Amino acid sequence: MDDKRARFEGQVLPHLDAAYRFARWLCRPGEADDVVQDAVLRAFRGFDALRGSDAKAWLLTIVRNCHLTAAKQQQRRGLVPLPEESDAADGHAMIANNDNPESEAILSDHKKVLDRLVASLPEEHRTVLMLREIEEMDYAQIAAVTNVPIGTVMSRLARSRAALKAKWMQEVEGAPRAVR
């Protein structure tokens, strides 16, 4: 194994899960794998340009740029997405594999609602929210990934949290309540 590959595997690949999670929040279902694969290839090709900076922020910046490039290409093609795995037509998704299907269904419903609400946020708000809350990056790292000032990161994060809370509360108030 050559030196560049060993250094790349040691510095960048530990952040592969974070890159995938971030891409999953940026992209439509099924696109995250392609975006991360493209980002890792680009990161490896440009690894010599990384000079002592934060490898995680650097990789997530590449993921974001790959997502933006892919989104522009899709707009030109007019892509029709395939159905999601959770569609009723996929019978295997409807079979419970655990001892408590009720709690799994409730958890799954909450996750779908949260995913839908987060996806409804504007991309710049969704991006800073995911980087801060899921990837636990600090404001400076988020500013580096998104290429905006730290003050903008802070205000977008505050607005995205407030919007998500308002949407969640509206969802909860609009849902039928269980009889006790």
Side-chain angles (χ1 to χ4, degrees):
M1 181 181 325
D2 64 341
D3 183 50
K4 178 181 177 181
R5 181 176 173 184
R7 288 184 302 114
F8 181 80
E9 288 179 358
Q11 291 178 352
V12 177
L13 289 188
H15 305 296
L16 196 56
D17 288 340
Y20 180 75
R21 282 190 304 269
F22 183 48
R24 200 179 123 256
W25 284 107
L26 291 174
C27 304
R28 285 185 274 192
E31 296 174 359
D33 292 333
D34 294 337
V35 168
V36 172
Q37 182 178 6
D38 189 29
V40 170
L41 288 173
R42 289 182 187 193
F44 184 73
R45 285 187 209 121
F47 183 63
D48 293 330
L50 178 64
R51 298 279 187 247
S53 65
D54 185 7
K56 183 177 182 179
W58 180 73
L59 178 62
L60 294 182
T61 302
I62 296 172
V63 168
R64 180 175 172 268
N65 291 339
C66 288
H67 160 68
L68 294 174
T69 300
K72 286 178 186 174
Q73 289 174 347
Q74 283 180 347
Q75 285 177 347
R76 287 187 220 130
R77 284 194 302 252
L79 180 71
V80 177
L82 295 173
E84 293 185 29
E85 290 180 14
S86 61
D87 287 347
D90 293 333
H92 66 278
M94 303 306 290
I95 299 172
N97 294 329
N98 60 12
D99 295 334
N100 190 351
E102 182 180 2
S103 63
E104 281 293 319
I106 291 170
L107 187 61
S108 175
D109 287 346
H110 286 163
K111 184 183 180 314
K112 286 177 187 176
V113 169
L114 183 60
D115 286 350
R116 182 174 44 80
L117 295 178
V118 169
S120 72
L121 294 173
E123 183 175 335
E124 61 271 3
H125 292 165
R126 187 174 63 238
T127 299
V128 296
L129 185 67
M130 291 302 103
L131 291 174
R132 178 68 190 122
E133 301 303 334
I134 304 300
E135 299 307 324
E136 299 178 350
M137 297 179 81
D138 61 34
Y139 295 144
Q141 291 172 319
I142 296 169
V145 169
T146 58
N147 198 27
V148 297
I150 290 177
T152 303
V153 168
M154 292 168 53
S155 63
R156 284 182 183 173
L157 187 57
R159 285 193 300 267
S160 63
R161 286 174 175 158
L164 185 60
K165 181 180 178 182
K167 289 175 187 241
W168 183 265
M169 295 306 292
Q170 183 179 11
E171 187 82 21
V172 169
E173 289 175 4
R177 299 188 188 267
V179 178
R180 293 183 188 213

